[in-house]
C-alpha cells in the first residue's frame, strides 16, 4: 500500500488523489485521522457496493453542478460535467466521506466527429464548504494529468506496451522500477525525461 511512501511527506490539508486500487478504508483513515489530509478517491468495481450506491444516487442526473470545457488539444474537443452530493455522507459505509461525485467526460474526435462518453464516480473527504463542484473537478483533472503523463513516459520511452515480461510479479516489478527511475530523473529538475534517458 502507499502508506509507507507517504510517511515522510508533509500532507496536512493536502488533497491526496488515488485510483480505485487505493480506494480503501484503511488508507482513508490514515489520510484523514493520522495525517490531517483529504482524500479524493475513484470508486470502481473493487468496491462494488460503494459503486452501486453512488451510481444509484446519480442515475437520474439533472443539470450538472459545474461544466468544464477543455481546449481542443490532441485532436479532441472535451467537455467535463460534474454532479456532487453530500446526501450519502451518513449512509455510505466508508470513513470520513464529505461528498460523493459523478464526472461525465464527453469527447469529440475533431477528424471523424465521432463522440465518446464515459462516466466516473468518486468520493472525497472534503465537505461542500471546503470544496465546491468546480474545485472537485479541478482536483480530479489534476490527478489524471499526472497519471497520463507518467503513462506517456512509460509507453514512449520504455515501450512498455511491447514488454515481453508477462508472468508472476515480473510486470508489476518492472513498472515499479521504471516509475522509480522516472521519479529520480524528474527530481533533478530536468527539462526532458526522454533526452536525459538517452544521455544516460
Amino acid at each position: 500500500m502507499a502508506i509507507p511512501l507517504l510517511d515522510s511527506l508533509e500532507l496536512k490539508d493536502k488533497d491526496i488523489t488515488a485510483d480505485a486500487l487505493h480506494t480503501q478504508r484503511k488508507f482513508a483513515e490514515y489520510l484523514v485521522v493520522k495525517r490531517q489530509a483529504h482524500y479524493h478517491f475513484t470508486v470502481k468495481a473493487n468496491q462494488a457496493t460503494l459503486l452501486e450506491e453512488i451510481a444509484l444516487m446519480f442515475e437520474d442526473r439533472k443539470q450538472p453542478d459545474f461544466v468544464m470545457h477543455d481546449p481542443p488539444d490532441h485532436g479532441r474537443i472535451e467537455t467535463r460535467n460534474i454532479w456532487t452530493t453530500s446526501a450519502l455522507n451518513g449512509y455510505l459505509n466508508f470513513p470520513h466521506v464529505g461528498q460523493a461525485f459523478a464526472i461525465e467526460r464527453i469527447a469529440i474526435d475533431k477528424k471523424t466527429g465521432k463522440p465518446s462518453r464515459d462516466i466516473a464516480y468518486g468520493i472525497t473527504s472534503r465537505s461542500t464548504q471546503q470544496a465546491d463542484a468546480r474545485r472537485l473537478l479541478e482536483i480530479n483533472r489534476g490527478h489524471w494529468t499526472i497519471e497520463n503523463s507518467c503513462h506517456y513516459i512509460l509507453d514512449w520511452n520504455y515501450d512498455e506496451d511491447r514488454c515481453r515480461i508477462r508472468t508472476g510479479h515480473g510486470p508489476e516489478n518492472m513498472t515499479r522500477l521504471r516509475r522509480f527511475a522516472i521519479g529520480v530523473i524528474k527530481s533533478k529538475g530536468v527539462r526532458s525525461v526522454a533526452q536525459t534517458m538517452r544521455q544516460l
Side-chain angles (χ1 to χ4, degrees):
M1 191 181 257
I3 290 174
L5 297 173
L6 297 176
D7 275 337
S8 63
L9 301 175
E10 177 54 52
L11 300 181
K12 187 174 182 180
D13 296 324
K14 301 275 193 292
D15 291 293
I16 309 303
T17 64
D19 59 16
L21 177 67
H22 293 93
T23 302
Q24 304 292 334
R25 288 164 181 80
K26 181 180 176 183
F27 192 35
E29 288 283 358
Y30 166 81
L31 291 172
V32 175
V33 176
K34 188 171 180 186
R35 303 304 305 278
Q36 291 96 49
H38 295 279
Y39 65 76
H40 186 95
F41 291 164
T42 301
V43 177
K44 290 188 178 176
N46 64 320
Q47 295 281 350
T49 304
L50 187 62
L51 176 61
E52 288 171 16
E53 291 167 344
I54 296 170
L56 182 62
M57 180 71 190
F58 292 111
E59 200 171 71
D60 186 28
R61 297 184 300 277
K62 307 295 185 199
Q63 290 294 326
D65 296 317
F66 183 74
V67 178
M68 178 185 288
H69 300 283
D70 287 349
D73 297 338
H74 311 295
R76 295 185 305 272
I77 300 167
E78 292 186 343
T79 302
R80 286 177 170 76
N81 301 315
I82 184 168
W83 293 263
T84 64
T85 185
S86 57
L88 296 174
N89 291 3
Y91 177 76
L92 295 176
N93 182 20
F94 204 89
H96 312 291
V97 175
Q99 295 180 74
F101 56 87
I103 297 173
E104 177 186 56
R105 186 176 70 97
I106 303 164
I108 300 171
D109 187 293
K110 290 198 301 190
K111 281 187 180 177
T112 65
K114 183 180 178 183
S116 65
R117 180 186 303 257
D118 59 59
I119 190 156
Y121 300 99
I123 50 176
T124 179
S125 59
R126 285 210 181 264
S127 68
T128 53
Q129 293 78 25
Q130 294 170 320
D132 61 8
R134 178 182 188 149
R135 179 67 186 128
L136 292 183
L137 191 53
E138 288 169 351
I139 294 167
N140 187 269
R141 188 79 176 102
H143 170 83
W144 289 109
T145 300
I146 295 165
E147 183 80 9
N148 290 339
S149 80
C150 190
H151 283 302
Y152 178 83
I153 292 170
L154 289 170
D155 290 343
W156 284 97
N157 295 319
Y158 283 114
D159 202 12
E160 190 172 65
D161 287 342
R162 293 197 307 172
C163 180
R164 299 181 65 97
I165 300 170
R166 302 258 185 255
T167 59
H169 296 289
E172 184 179 349
N173 290 338
M174 285 306 299
T175 295
R176 286 185 176 168
L177 286 170
R178 290 175 182 133
R179 286 177 186 241
F180 175 75
I182 291 167
V184 170
I185 292 168
K186 284 184 172 183
S187 74
K188 302 302 177 189
V190 300
R191 289 185 61 203
S192 170
V193 172
Q195 182 180 358
T196 305
M197 287 174 62
R198 284 192 296 272
Q199 290 170 345
L200 294 171

